Amino acid sequence: MSGNTATLTIGDKAIELPTKSGSVGPTVVDIAPLYKHTGMFTYDPGFTSTASCESQITYIDGDEGVLLYRGYPIEQLAEHGDFLETCYLLLYGELPTAAQKADFDYRVTRHTMVHEQMARFFQGFRRDAHPMAVMVASVGALSAFYHDSTDISDPHQRMISSMRLIAKMPTLAAMAYKYTIGQPFVYPQNNLDYPSNFLRMCFSVPCEDYKPNPILARALDRIFILHADHEQNASTSTVRLAGSSGANPFACIAAGIACLWGPAHGGANEAALKMLQEIGTVDRIPQYIAKAKDKNDPFRLMGFGHRVYKNYDPRAKIMQRTTHEVLNELGHKDDPLLEVALELERIALHDEYFIEKKLYPNIDFYSGITLKAMGFPTSMFTVLFALARTVGWIAQWKEMIEDPSQKIGRPRQLYTGAARRDYVSPAQRR
Ligand code: SDX
Protein backbone atom coordinates (compact mmCIF):
# COMPACT_ATOMS: atom_id res chain seq x y z
CA MET A 1 0.00 0.00 0.00
CA SER A 2 1.48 3.40 -0.88
CA GLY A 3 0.16 6.94 -0.56
CA ASN A 4 -3.60 6.81 -0.74
CA THR A 5 -3.93 3.64 -2.77
CA ALA A 6 -3.49 -0.11 -2.31
CA THR A 7 -2.50 -2.32 -5.23
CA LEU A 8 -4.27 -5.66 -5.54
CA THR A 9 -2.69 -8.11 -7.96
CA ILE A 10 -4.91 -10.91 -9.26
CA GLY A 11 -3.12 -13.12 -11.75
CA ASP A 12 -1.48 -10.80 -14.29
CA LYS A 13 -3.84 -7.94 -13.44
CA ALA A 14 -3.11 -5.24 -10.84
CA ILE A 15 -5.77 -2.79 -9.70
CA GLU A 16 -5.41 0.32 -7.57
CA LEU A 17 -7.90 0.66 -4.69
CA PRO A 18 -8.23 3.93 -2.79
CA THR A 19 -7.36 3.93 0.92
CA LYS A 20 -8.85 6.14 3.63
CA SER A 21 -7.32 7.03 6.99
CA GLY A 22 -9.35 7.96 10.05
CA SER A 23 -8.45 10.43 12.80
CA VAL A 24 -7.15 7.41 14.77
CA GLY A 25 -7.14 3.66 14.23
CA PRO A 26 -6.63 1.40 11.20
CA THR A 27 -6.60 2.77 7.64
CA VAL A 28 -9.21 1.18 5.36
CA VAL A 29 -9.05 -0.01 1.76
CA ASP A 30 -12.12 1.16 -0.16
CA ILE A 31 -13.15 -2.02 -1.99
CA ALA A 32 -16.35 -0.60 -3.48
CA PRO A 33 -14.79 -0.56 -7.01
CA LEU A 34 -13.52 -4.18 -6.62
CA TYR A 35 -16.46 -6.01 -8.22
CA LYS A 36 -16.65 -3.57 -11.12
CA HIS A 37 -12.90 -3.97 -11.86
CA THR A 38 -12.49 -7.70 -11.14
CA GLY A 39 -15.90 -9.39 -11.01
CA MET A 40 -14.84 -10.63 -7.56
CA PHE A 41 -16.25 -10.07 -4.06
CA THR A 42 -14.31 -9.91 -0.81
CA TYR A 43 -15.17 -12.64 1.69
CA ASP A 44 -15.24 -11.88 5.42
CA PRO A 45 -17.95 -13.80 7.38
CA GLY A 46 -18.36 -12.18 10.79
CA PHE A 47 -16.74 -9.01 9.41
CA THR A 48 -13.48 -9.61 11.32
CA SER A 49 -11.55 -7.31 8.93
CA THR A 50 -14.37 -5.22 7.48
CA ALA A 51 -15.35 -1.64 8.28
CA SER A 52 -19.06 -1.34 7.50
CA CYS A 53 -19.23 2.46 7.73
CA GLU A 54 -17.47 5.69 8.64
CA SER A 55 -18.38 6.97 12.10
CA GLN A 56 -17.40 9.74 14.52
CA ILE A 57 -19.17 8.42 17.61
CA THR A 58 -17.16 5.72 19.42
CA TYR A 59 -13.57 4.53 19.09
CA ILE A 60 -12.20 1.26 20.49
CA ASP A 61 -8.56 0.23 20.57
CA GLY A 62 -8.88 -3.48 21.39
CA ASP A 63 -5.14 -4.03 21.86
CA GLU A 64 -4.76 -1.14 24.29
CA GLY A 65 -8.13 -1.58 26.02
CA VAL A 66 -9.26 1.94 25.09
CA LEU A 67 -12.89 3.09 24.70
CA LEU A 68 -13.71 6.69 23.74
CA TYR A 69 -17.17 8.25 23.34
CA ARG A 70 -16.74 11.23 20.97
CA GLY A 71 -13.07 11.26 22.04
CA TYR A 72 -13.68 11.21 25.81
CA PRO A 73 -12.31 8.16 27.73
CA ILE A 74 -15.03 5.98 29.21
CA GLU A 75 -13.23 6.08 32.58
CA GLN A 76 -13.61 9.89 32.79
CA LEU A 77 -17.23 9.94 31.65
CA ALA A 78 -18.16 7.19 34.15
CA GLU A 79 -16.31 9.00 36.93
CA HIS A 80 -17.44 12.59 36.39
CA GLY A 81 -20.63 12.60 34.32
CA ASP A 82 -24.08 11.07 34.35
CA PHE A 83 -25.91 8.91 31.81
CA LEU A 84 -28.03 11.70 30.30
CA GLU A 85 -24.87 13.78 29.79
CA THR A 86 -23.40 10.77 27.93
CA CYS A 87 -26.63 10.53 25.89
CA TYR A 88 -26.28 14.19 24.87
CA LEU A 89 -22.60 13.65 23.99
CA LEU A 90 -23.29 10.56 21.86
CA LEU A 91 -26.22 12.21 20.05
CA TYR A 92 -24.76 15.70 19.43
CA GLY A 93 -21.00 15.16 19.58
CA GLU A 94 -20.11 17.59 22.37
CA LEU A 95 -20.52 17.67 26.16
CA PRO A 96 -23.55 19.85 27.01
CA THR A 97 -23.30 23.23 28.73
CA ALA A 98 -25.25 23.52 31.98
CA ALA A 99 -28.19 25.07 30.11
CA GLN A 100 -28.11 22.42 27.38
CA LYS A 101 -27.99 19.64 29.99
CA ALA A 102 -30.92 21.12 31.95
CA ASP A 103 -32.98 21.38 28.75
CA PHE A 104 -32.06 17.82 27.67
CA ASP A 105 -32.93 16.38 31.10
CA TYR A 106 -36.23 18.30 31.05
CA ARG A 107 -37.15 16.98 27.58
CA VAL A 108 -36.26 13.36 28.42
CA THR A 109 -38.14 13.53 31.72
CA ARG A 110 -41.30 14.70 29.99
CA HIS A 111 -41.32 11.84 27.53
CA THR A 112 -41.09 9.05 30.13
CA MET A 113 -44.79 8.10 30.14
CA VAL A 114 -46.03 5.61 27.54
CA HIS A 115 -49.44 5.67 25.83
CA GLU A 116 -51.92 4.26 28.36
CA GLN A 117 -53.02 1.59 25.87
CA MET A 118 -49.49 0.10 26.02
CA ALA A 119 -50.54 -1.30 29.40
CA ARG A 120 -53.23 -3.33 27.62
CA PHE A 121 -50.65 -4.44 25.05
CA PHE A 122 -48.72 -6.14 27.87
CA GLN A 123 -51.81 -8.11 28.91
CA GLY A 124 -51.36 -10.30 25.83
CA PHE A 125 -48.19 -11.89 27.23
CA ARG A 126 -48.00 -14.87 29.56
CA ARG A 127 -46.68 -13.84 32.97
CA ASP A 128 -43.63 -16.08 32.45
CA ALA A 129 -42.68 -14.41 29.15
CA HIS A 130 -38.97 -13.50 29.06
CA PRO A 131 -38.74 -9.70 29.52
CA MET A 132 -36.58 -9.47 26.40
CA ALA A 133 -39.43 -10.96 24.36
CA VAL A 134 -41.70 -8.30 25.84
CA MET A 135 -39.17 -5.56 25.04
CA VAL A 136 -38.72 -6.62 21.41
CA ALA A 137 -42.50 -6.55 20.96
CA SER A 138 -43.33 -3.42 22.95
CA VAL A 139 -40.56 -1.23 21.51
CA GLY A 140 -41.57 -2.27 18.00
CA ALA A 141 -45.20 -1.55 18.94
CA LEU A 142 -44.29 2.08 19.79
CA SER A 143 -44.42 2.71 16.02
CA ALA A 144 -48.14 1.87 16.26
CA PHE A 145 -48.66 4.65 18.81
CA TYR A 146 -46.38 7.50 17.77
CA HIS A 147 -47.12 8.10 14.09
CA ASP A 148 -46.03 11.74 14.49
CA SER A 149 -42.37 10.68 14.84
CA THR A 150 -41.85 7.92 12.28
CA ASP A 151 -40.97 10.05 9.23
CA ILE A 152 -37.21 9.59 9.18
CA SER A 153 -36.75 12.27 6.51
CA ASP A 154 -37.91 14.94 8.98
CA PRO A 155 -35.10 16.01 11.40
CA HIS A 156 -37.67 17.18 13.94
CA GLN A 157 -39.43 13.80 13.93
CA ARG A 158 -36.06 12.03 14.19
CA MET A 159 -35.27 14.11 17.27
CA ILE A 160 -38.67 13.46 18.87
CA SER A 161 -38.46 9.69 18.27
CA SER A 162 -34.92 9.69 19.70
CA MET A 163 -36.06 11.46 22.87
CA ARG A 164 -39.11 9.19 23.16
CA LEU A 165 -36.96 6.03 22.93
CA ILE A 166 -34.36 7.21 25.48
CA ALA A 167 -37.13 8.34 27.82
CA LYS A 168 -39.51 5.41 27.47
CA MET A 169 -37.08 2.49 27.59
CA PRO A 170 -36.86 2.57 31.43
CA THR A 171 -40.66 2.78 31.66
CA LEU A 172 -41.17 -0.17 29.31
CA ALA A 173 -38.37 -2.16 30.99
CA ALA A 174 -39.92 -1.61 34.41
CA MET A 175 -43.35 -2.58 33.02
CA ALA A 176 -41.84 -5.77 31.57
CA TYR A 177 -40.42 -6.61 34.99
CA LYS A 178 -43.56 -5.73 36.97
CA TYR A 179 -45.69 -7.78 34.58
CA THR A 180 -43.61 -10.93 35.15
CA ILE A 181 -43.99 -10.64 38.94
CA GLY A 182 -47.68 -9.75 38.87
CA GLN A 183 -47.26 -6.33 40.45
CA PRO A 184 -49.00 -3.15 39.23
CA PHE A 185 -47.16 -0.88 36.82
CA VAL A 186 -45.60 2.19 38.47
CA TYR A 187 -45.75 5.54 36.68
CA PRO A 188 -42.56 7.61 36.25
CA GLN A 189 -42.06 10.57 38.60
CA ASN A 190 -40.75 13.79 37.05
CA ASN A 191 -39.02 14.87 40.25
CA LEU A 192 -36.61 11.88 40.11
CA ASP A 193 -33.43 11.57 38.07
CA TYR A 194 -33.16 8.94 35.34
CA PRO A 195 -31.73 5.98 37.35
CA SER A 196 -33.78 6.75 40.49
CA ASN A 197 -36.96 6.89 38.41
CA PHE A 198 -36.12 3.47 36.96
CA LEU A 199 -35.37 1.93 40.37
CA ARG A 200 -38.67 3.29 41.71
CA MET A 201 -40.68 2.00 38.71
CA CYS A 202 -39.11 -1.44 39.26
CA PHE A 203 -39.10 -1.82 43.03
CA SER A 204 -41.79 0.41 44.56
CA VAL A 205 -45.26 -0.93 45.40
CA PRO A 206 -48.46 1.12 46.02
CA CYS A 207 -48.66 -0.06 49.63
CA GLU A 208 -45.68 1.88 50.95
CA ASP A 209 -43.31 4.75 50.24
CA TYR A 210 -40.14 4.01 48.32
CA LYS A 211 -36.96 6.09 48.40
CA PRO A 212 -34.34 5.07 45.81
CA ASN A 213 -30.94 4.37 47.40
CA PRO A 214 -28.68 7.14 45.99
CA ILE A 215 -25.62 4.88 45.98
CA LEU A 216 -27.46 2.22 43.97
CA ALA A 217 -28.89 4.91 41.67
CA ARG A 218 -25.39 6.30 41.02
CA ALA A 219 -24.05 2.78 40.41
CA LEU A 220 -26.87 2.02 37.97
CA ASP A 221 -26.29 5.34 36.20
CA ARG A 222 -22.62 4.39 35.78
CA ILE A 223 -23.61 0.94 34.46
CA PHE A 224 -25.81 2.68 31.87
CA ILE A 225 -22.84 4.88 30.83
CA LEU A 226 -20.61 1.80 30.38
CA HIS A 227 -23.20 0.12 28.14
CA ALA A 228 -24.21 3.20 26.11
CA ASP A 229 -22.35 2.54 22.87
CA HIS A 230 -19.64 0.31 21.43
CA GLU A 231 -19.05 1.17 17.75
CA GLN A 232 -20.23 -1.41 15.18
CA ASN A 233 -21.12 -4.39 17.42
CA ALA A 234 -23.69 -6.94 16.24
CA SER A 235 -26.80 -5.15 17.54
CA THR A 236 -25.65 -1.72 16.35
CA SER A 237 -24.92 -3.19 12.92
CA THR A 238 -28.43 -4.66 13.00
CA VAL A 239 -29.93 -1.24 13.75
CA ARG A 240 -27.90 0.36 10.96
CA LEU A 241 -28.90 -2.31 8.43
CA ALA A 242 -32.59 -2.07 9.40
CA GLY A 243 -32.38 1.74 9.24
CA SER A 244 -30.71 1.64 5.82
CA SER A 245 -34.00 0.38 4.34
CA GLY A 246 -35.84 3.43 5.72
CA ALA A 247 -37.61 1.50 8.51
CA ASN A 248 -38.92 3.70 11.33
CA PRO A 249 -36.67 4.18 14.40
CA PHE A 250 -38.90 2.16 16.76
CA ALA A 251 -38.69 -0.85 14.42
CA CYS A 252 -34.92 -0.44 14.08
CA ILE A 253 -34.38 -0.33 17.84
CA ALA A 254 -36.63 -3.40 18.25
CA ALA A 255 -34.34 -5.19 15.76
CA GLY A 256 -31.32 -4.15 17.84
CA ILE A 257 -32.95 -5.52 21.00
CA ALA A 258 -33.61 -8.83 19.26
CA CYS A 259 -29.95 -9.14 18.22
CA LEU A 260 -28.62 -8.08 21.63
CA TRP A 261 -30.58 -10.94 23.24
CA GLY A 262 -28.15 -13.60 21.97
CA PRO A 263 -25.82 -15.17 24.60
CA ALA A 264 -22.76 -14.34 22.49
CA HIS A 265 -23.68 -10.66 22.74
CA GLY A 266 -25.83 -8.85 25.30
CA GLY A 267 -27.30 -12.09 26.63
CA ALA A 268 -23.86 -12.92 28.04
CA ASN A 269 -24.53 -11.08 31.32
CA GLU A 270 -27.45 -13.41 32.06
CA ALA A 271 -25.40 -16.41 30.86
CA ALA A 272 -22.34 -15.35 32.90
CA LEU A 273 -24.31 -15.19 36.14
CA LYS A 274 -25.92 -18.59 35.44
CA MET A 275 -22.42 -19.96 34.79
CA LEU A 276 -21.13 -18.58 38.12
CA GLN A 277 -24.17 -20.09 39.88
CA GLU A 278 -23.52 -23.44 38.14
CA ILE A 279 -19.85 -23.38 39.21
CA GLY A 280 -21.09 -22.50 42.70
CA THR A 281 -17.84 -22.79 44.65
CA VAL A 282 -14.18 -21.98 44.08
CA ASP A 283 -13.11 -25.64 44.21
CA ARG A 284 -15.21 -26.41 41.10
CA ILE A 285 -13.50 -23.75 38.95
CA PRO A 286 -10.71 -25.98 37.51
CA GLN A 287 -13.21 -28.38 35.92
CA TYR A 288 -14.95 -25.48 34.18
CA ILE A 289 -11.66 -23.98 32.99
CA ALA A 290 -10.92 -27.43 31.50
CA LYS A 291 -14.33 -27.49 29.79
CA ALA A 292 -13.72 -24.03 28.34
CA LYS A 293 -10.39 -25.21 26.87
CA ASP A 294 -11.79 -28.51 25.53
CA LYS A 295 -12.30 -28.17 21.75
CA ASN A 296 -14.93 -30.90 21.88
CA ASP A 297 -16.91 -29.10 24.54
CA PRO A 298 -19.11 -26.17 23.35
CA PHE A 299 -18.88 -24.64 26.84
CA ARG A 300 -17.33 -21.17 26.95
CA LEU A 301 -16.57 -18.95 29.91
CA MET A 302 -19.43 -16.49 29.56
CA GLY A 303 -18.30 -12.93 30.20
CA PHE A 304 -14.85 -13.74 28.81
CA GLY A 305 -13.40 -12.88 25.42
CA HIS A 306 -14.30 -10.23 22.89
CA ARG A 307 -14.10 -9.75 19.13
CA VAL A 308 -12.27 -6.45 19.53
CA TYR A 309 -10.73 -6.32 23.01
CA LYS A 310 -7.58 -8.44 23.05
CA ASN A 311 -6.73 -6.73 26.32
CA TYR A 312 -8.81 -6.05 29.41
CA ASP A 313 -12.21 -4.52 28.55
CA PRO A 314 -11.90 -1.05 30.16
CA ARG A 315 -15.58 -1.28 31.09
CA ALA A 316 -14.98 -4.50 33.04
CA LYS A 317 -12.53 -2.74 35.37
CA ILE A 318 -15.07 0.00 36.18
CA MET A 319 -17.79 -2.64 36.45
CA GLN A 320 -15.72 -4.62 38.96
CA ARG A 321 -15.26 -1.50 41.12
CA THR A 322 -18.99 -0.79 40.91
CA THR A 323 -19.73 -4.38 41.96
CA HIS A 324 -17.69 -3.93 45.13
CA GLU A 325 -19.43 -0.58 45.86
CA VAL A 326 -22.91 -2.08 45.49
CA LEU A 327 -22.15 -5.27 47.45
CA ASN A 328 -20.62 -3.22 50.27
CA GLU A 329 -23.63 -0.86 50.34
CA LEU A 330 -26.01 -3.81 50.49
CA GLY A 331 -23.99 -5.77 53.02
CA HIS A 332 -23.31 -8.58 50.50
CA LYS A 333 -19.56 -8.07 50.34
CA ASP A 334 -19.09 -11.79 51.05
CA ASP A 335 -21.35 -12.82 48.14
CA PRO A 336 -20.08 -16.31 47.18
CA LEU A 337 -20.70 -15.49 43.51
CA LEU A 338 -18.23 -12.61 43.72
CA GLU A 339 -15.71 -14.92 45.36
CA VAL A 340 -16.11 -17.41 42.49
CA ALA A 341 -15.89 -14.60 39.89
CA LEU A 342 -12.73 -13.07 41.35
CA GLU A 343 -11.02 -16.48 41.65
CA LEU A 344 -12.15 -17.54 38.16
CA GLU A 345 -10.73 -14.30 36.75
CA ARG A 346 -7.47 -14.75 38.67
CA ILE A 347 -7.02 -18.34 37.45
CA ALA A 348 -8.03 -17.56 33.83
CA LEU A 349 -5.67 -14.57 33.58
CA HIS A 350 -2.74 -16.83 34.52
CA ASP A 351 -3.76 -19.74 32.27
CA GLU A 352 -1.73 -20.23 29.07
CA TYR A 353 -4.86 -20.94 26.97
CA PHE A 354 -6.52 -17.66 27.90
CA ILE A 355 -3.29 -15.70 27.65
CA GLU A 356 -2.48 -17.10 24.21
CA LYS A 357 -6.02 -16.44 22.94
CA LYS A 358 -6.08 -13.01 24.65
CA LEU A 359 -9.28 -13.78 26.55
CA TYR A 360 -10.06 -11.25 29.26
CA PRO A 361 -13.21 -10.52 31.26
CA ASN A 362 -15.62 -8.32 29.33
CA ILE A 363 -18.30 -5.99 30.61
CA ASP A 364 -20.73 -8.87 31.08
CA PHE A 365 -18.55 -10.76 33.57
CA TYR A 366 -19.28 -8.57 36.60
CA SER A 367 -22.52 -6.82 35.63
CA GLY A 368 -24.70 -9.81 36.53
CA ILE A 369 -23.42 -10.02 40.12
CA THR A 370 -24.13 -6.30 40.58
CA LEU A 371 -27.61 -6.37 39.09
CA LYS A 372 -28.57 -9.51 41.04
CA ALA A 373 -27.44 -7.81 44.28
CA MET A 374 -29.62 -4.81 43.37
CA GLY A 375 -32.64 -7.12 43.18
CA PHE A 376 -32.98 -7.65 39.42
CA PRO A 377 -33.72 -11.22 38.26
CA THR A 378 -31.25 -12.64 35.72
CA SER A 379 -33.94 -12.35 33.02
CA MET A 380 -33.75 -8.54 33.38
CA PHE A 381 -29.98 -8.23 32.91
CA THR A 382 -30.06 -7.97 29.10
CA VAL A 383 -33.09 -5.68 29.33
CA LEU A 384 -30.94 -3.22 31.29
CA PHE A 385 -28.20 -3.59 28.67
CA ALA A 386 -30.79 -2.75 25.96
CA LEU A 387 -32.08 0.20 28.01
CA ALA A 388 -28.58 1.69 28.15
CA ARG A 389 -27.57 0.81 24.58
CA THR A 390 -30.66 2.47 23.09
CA VAL A 391 -28.89 5.84 22.97
CA GLY A 392 -25.92 4.28 21.15
CA TRP A 393 -28.18 2.57 18.65
CA ILE A 394 -30.04 5.86 18.05
CA ALA A 395 -26.85 7.93 17.72
CA GLN A 396 -25.48 5.45 15.15
CA TRP A 397 -28.84 5.31 13.32
CA LYS A 398 -29.01 9.14 13.27
CA GLU A 399 -25.44 9.36 11.94
CA MET A 400 -26.29 6.91 9.16
CA ILE A 401 -29.56 8.65 8.19
CA GLU A 402 -27.79 12.03 8.08
CA ASP A 403 -24.92 10.65 5.94
CA PRO A 404 -25.58 11.89 2.37
CA SER A 405 -23.72 8.87 0.95
CA GLN A 406 -25.97 6.43 2.85
CA LYS A 407 -27.60 3.65 0.80
CA ILE A 408 -29.41 0.43 1.66
CA GLY A 409 -27.07 -2.24 3.02
CA ARG A 410 -27.04 -5.29 0.75
CA PRO A 411 -24.07 -7.68 1.18
CA ARG A 412 -23.29 -10.33 -1.48
CA GLN A 413 -22.20 -13.98 -0.95
CA LEU A 414 -19.95 -16.86 -1.97
CA TYR A 415 -22.44 -19.30 -3.55
CA THR A 416 -21.53 -22.98 -3.16
CA GLY A 417 -24.97 -24.46 -3.83
CA ALA A 418 -26.27 -26.41 -6.84
CA ALA A 419 -25.58 -25.08 -10.33
CA ARG A 420 -28.59 -24.58 -12.67
CA ARG A 421 -30.58 -27.79 -13.18
CA ASP A 422 -34.01 -28.66 -14.67
CA TYR A 423 -37.16 -29.63 -12.78
CA VAL A 424 -37.70 -33.40 -12.23
CA SER A 425 -41.26 -34.70 -12.03
CA PRO A 426 -42.18 -36.63 -8.86
CA ALA A 427 -42.45 -39.88 -10.82
CA GLN A 428 -38.82 -39.57 -11.93
CA ARG A 429 -37.31 -38.72 -8.55
CA ARG A 430 -35.13 -41.33 -6.78
C1 SDX B 1 -20.67 -8.10 24.23
O1 SDX B 1 -18.96 -6.55 19.82
C2 SDX B 1 -19.16 -5.87 20.95
O2 SDX B 1 -18.65 -4.79 21.12
C3 SDX B 1 -20.06 -6.52 21.96
C4 SDX B 1 -20.17 -5.81 23.33
C5 SDX B 1 -20.88 -4.49 23.21
O3 SDX B 1 -20.67 -3.66 24.10
O4 SDX B 1 -21.70 -4.33 22.28
O5 SDX B 1 -18.87 -5.61 23.87
C6 SDX B 1 -20.98 -6.65 24.32
O6 SDX B 1 -21.33 -8.79 23.48
C7 SDX B 1 -19.46 -8.65 24.98
C8 SDX B 1 -19.17 -10.17 24.63
C9 SDX B 1 -20.13 -11.00 25.48
N1 SDX B 1 -20.08 -12.42 25.07
C10 SDX B 1 -19.55 -13.35 25.92
O7 SDX B 1 -19.00 -13.11 26.99
C11 SDX B 1 -19.74 -14.78 25.43
C12 SDX B 1 -18.43 -15.56 25.60
N2 SDX B 1 -17.47 -15.00 24.63
C13 SDX B 1 -17.37 -15.64 23.37
O8 SDX B 1 -18.48 -16.26 22.87
C14 SDX B 1 -16.49 -14.89 22.37
O9 SDX B 1 -15.38 -14.48 23.05
C15 SDX B 1 -17.09 -13.71 21.63
C16 SDX B 1 -18.35 -14.09 20.91
C17 SDX B 1 -17.36 -12.60 22.54
C18 SDX B 1 -16.05 -13.29 20.59
O10 SDX B 1 -15.91 -14.31 19.72
P1 SDX B 1 -14.95 -14.16 18.42
O11 SDX B 1 -14.31 -12.85 18.32
O12 SDX B 1 -15.73 -14.64 17.26
O13 SDX B 1 -13.77 -15.08 18.81
P2 SDX B 1 -13.79 -16.63 18.58
O14 SDX B 1 -15.14 -17.16 18.99
O15 SDX B 1 -13.28 -16.90 17.22
O16 SDX B 1 -12.75 -17.08 19.69
C19 SDX B 1 -11.36 -17.05 19.42
C20 SDX B 1 -10.81 -18.25 20.16
C21 SDX B 1 -11.55 -19.55 19.80
O17 SDX B 1 -10.63 -20.60 19.94
P3 SDX B 1 -10.03 -21.25 18.54
O18 SDX B 1 -11.24 -21.68 17.73
O19 SDX B 1 -9.27 -20.09 17.88
O20 SDX B 1 -9.17 -22.37 18.99
O21 SDX B 1 -11.00 -18.08 21.57
C22 SDX B 1 -11.86 -19.08 22.08
C23 SDX B 1 -12.59 -19.70 20.88
O22 SDX B 1 -12.90 -21.06 21.14
N3 SDX B 1 -12.80 -18.41 22.96
C24 SDX B 1 -13.16 -18.85 24.17
C25 SDX B 1 -14.04 -17.86 24.66
N4 SDX B 1 -14.19 -16.90 23.76
C26 SDX B 1 -13.42 -17.24 22.70
N5 SDX B 1 -12.83 -19.97 24.85
C27 SDX B 1 -13.42 -20.09 26.09
N6 SDX B 1 -14.26 -19.20 26.64
C28 SDX B 1 -14.59 -18.07 25.96
N7 SDX B 1 -15.42 -17.19 26.49
Side-chain angles (χ1 to χ4, degrees):
M1 186 156 74
S2 61
N4 298 325
T5 62
T7 304
L8 178 63
T9 305
I10 302 172
D12 57 0
K13 187 176 179 185
I15 62 163
E16 297 293 309
L17 292 168
T19 61
K20 291 180 179 179
S21 294
S23 44
V24 65
T27 293
V28 299
V29 178
D30 182 350
I31 56 164
L34 182 71
Y35 181 62
K36 186 171 63 179
H37 291 318
T38 69
M40 297 175 85
F41 298 142
T42 58
Y43 182 67
D44 184 14
F47 310 119
T48 51
S49 301
T50 296
S52 62
C53 63
E54 177 179 336
S55 180
Q56 299 177 350
I57 298 172
T58 294
Y59 176 71
I60 302 171
D61 181 328
D63 295 327
E64 298 302 319
V66 168
L67 171 58
L68 309 176
Y69 289 166
R70 300 284 191 178
Y72 294 98
I74 189 72
E75 296 85 351
Q76 295 179 22
L77 292 169
E79 181 68 30
H80 303 299
D82 68 21
F83 177 63
L84 288 186
E85 177 188 73
T86 290
C87 289
Y88 187 98
L89 174 64
L90 289 170
L91 285 170
Y92 302 114
E94 298 298 336
L95 288 169
T97 62
Q100 288 166 334
K101 178 68 167 48
D103 170 63
F104 189 76
D105 287 5
Y106 178 87
R107 288 188 291 138
V108 170
T109 300
R110 274 148 192 82
H111 277 290
T112 49
M113 284 179 70
V114 294
H115 192 293
E116 192 61 15
Q117 281 182 222
M118 282 298 286
R120 290 169 48 192
F121 182 81
F122 277 70
Q123 304 307 329
F125 293 105
R126 286 177 31 164
R127 289 285 180 177
D128 61 352
H130 194 293
M132 281 297 278
V134 176
M135 292 303 288
V136 171
S138 54
V139 172
L142 290 175
S143 42
F145 287 90
Y146 297 106
H147 301 115
D148 62 340
S149 60
T150 53
D151 177 357
I152 62 162
S153 65
D154 176 351
H156 180 70
Q157 293 198 31
R158 292 203 298 269
M159 184 275 293
I160 293 286
S161 57
S162 303
M163 301 305 290
R164 278 177 166 152
L165 280 157
I166 293 167
K168 296 179 193 312
M169 281 299 281
T171 309
L172 291 171
M175 291 169 77
Y177 170 56
K178 284 301 202 184
Y179 189 73
T180 61
I181 58 175
Q183 288 187 359
F185 296 143
V186 176
Y187 288 97
Q189 291 289 308
N190 290 352
N191 62 335
L192 293 176
D193 63 35
Y194 195 84
S196 301
N197 219 348
F198 179 60
L199 285 172
R200 181 179 174 280
M201 289 189 283
C202 287
F203 298 124
S204 76
V205 289
C207 330
E208 58 190 31
D209 290 341
Y210 174 88
K211 189 176 178 327
N213 178 321
I215 292 180
L216 301 188
R218 176 69 187 120
L220 193 57
D221 195 71
R222 192 181 306 133
I223 291 170
F224 290 161
I225 292 172
L226 296 179
H227 286 81
D229 193 49
H230 214 235
E231 60 139 88
Q232 306 312 318
N233 59 83
S235 53
T236 298
S237 301
T238 300
V239 171
R240 277 182 172 259
L241 199 55
S244 73
S245 76
N248 75 70
F250 303 107
C252 295
I253 300 304
I257 296 172
C259 176
L260 186 76
W261 195 359
H265 189 14
N269 52 19
E270 180 176 351
L273 191 90
K274 286 177 177 168
M275 174 192 72
L276 293 172
Q277 289 171 324
E278 182 185 333
I279 294 172
T281 53
V282 166
D283 63 295
R284 285 162 49 87
I285 290 175
Q287 69 194 65
Y288 282 87
I289 295 273
K291 278 169 63 69
K293 292 155 66 170
D294 178 356
K295 279 280 154 260
N296 300 316
D297 190 330
F299 173 81
R300 287 195 169 178
L301 285 186
M302 300 316 280
F304 262 79
H306 198 277
R307 171 62 56 78
V308 176
Y309 289 122
K310 300 309 173 191
N311 194 325
Y312 212 104
D313 181 337
R315 304 168 299 176
K317 283 194 182 108
I318 304 167
M319 197 65 243
Q320 189 192 84
R321 277 206 311 274
T322 304
T323 302
H324 283 294
E325 255 179 51
V326 167
L327 295 183
N328 288 338
E329 170 64 17
L330 294 170
H332 299 178
K333 61 184 185 313
D334 301 326
D335 183 339
L337 286 180
L338 178 63
E339 186 189 7
V340 172
L342 290 169
E343 181 60 9
L344 174 58
E345 175 186 358
R346 188 193 66 76
I347 295 173
L349 294 185
H350 291 83
D351 183 291
E352 264 319 299
Y353 174 91
F354 292 90
I355 293 168
E356 184 254 326
K357 293 190 185 297
K358 298 184 176 180
L359 300 173
Y360 292 86
N362 59 51
I363 190 167
D364 294 308
F365 188 61
Y366 285 103
S367 55
I369 299 170
T370 314
L371 298 176
K372 175 178 176 290
M374 285 184 169
F376 293 104
T378 49
S379 60
M380 280 293 289
F381 293 176
T382 311
V383 171
L384 269 66
F385 193 151
L387 186 166
R389 183 55 58 88
T390 293
V391 65
W393 288 330
I394 289 169
Q396 301 270 351
W397 167 80
K398 177 175 178 288
E399 182 178 65
M400 176 197 66
I401 295 288
E402 293 169 359
D403 175 352
S405 66
Q406 183 265 329
K407 57 174 72 171
I408 189 167
R410 205 292 187 198
R412 301 304 302 274
Q413 63 179 6
L414 170 67
Y415 178 69
T416 56
R420 187 192 181 286
R421 53 185 171 166
D422 292 326
Y423 183 80
V424 178
S425 68
Q428 293 175 314
R429 291 171 202 165
R430 296 288 169 267

